Structure formats: C-alpha cells, structure tokens
Amino acid sequence: MIGVEEIKDNLPEGYVSAIIPAATWAVFESVGALPEAIQDLTRRIFTEWLPSTGYQHDCAPELEVYPLGDSTLPDYRC
C-alpha cells in the first residue's frame, strides 16, 4: 500500500480511498543503508521488541517514511 495524507481532488481512476482508524503506534528509527537497515529493524521489532513488551501486531497498515536523501549511505535515517 502506498498512501498520501489527503487528496482534496477526485481520485484518479483505479485508486481507492481508505481511512486508517485510530490506534496506538510504535515509532522506530532505522539508521543505515537500505534495504539492509530496514530489514534488520523489522526483524528486531518482531523477534525482540514485540515479545518483550506484551504488545501485539494489530494486522493494520504499517507506515514507513523515507525522507529525501541517499538511502545507500550508512547514516541514512528513515
């Protein structure tokens, strides 16, 4: 799923609009070259963080934000 915050005009043909319901969100920062850094972070979230906190994945959308920049650099943050 790829999304934008809000579209004020009519949606282009073939697109759909969805409202993501309110939820409790955990926010993590990935530092490092992609895709390795985000893959490592995702693995750690599911194998370390979730089991240690008691939270459960809600099967709702997950959001990933990729700021402009060189995602191949070792200090890239997303």
Side-chain angles (χ1 to χ4, degrees):
M1 170 188 312
I2 296 175
V4 295
E5 187 173 343
E6 182 178 7
I7 296 176
K8 299 201 185 291
D9 299 323
N10 293 330
L11 291 175
E13 186 175 328
Y15 287 72
V16 296
S17 176
I19 295 174
I20 299 172
T24 299
W25 297 82
V27 179
F28 302 91
E29 182 178 49
S30 172
V31 180
L34 299 182
E36 294 84 6
I38 195 73
Q39 291 169 344
D40 181 57
L41 177 62
T42 301
R43 179 190 56 75
R44 292 186 63 209
I45 290 168
F46 282 93
T47 63
E48 298 174 22
W49 187 81
L50 273 172
S52 71
T53 63
Y55 283 104
Q56 294 180 0
H57 191 279
D58 197 24
C59 296
E62 297 176 10
L63 307 176
E64 296 180 10
V65 179
Y66 297 97
L68 293 177
D70 187 344
S71 64
T72 65
L73 295 177
D75 63 346
Y76 179 74
R77 296 176 180 276
C78 63

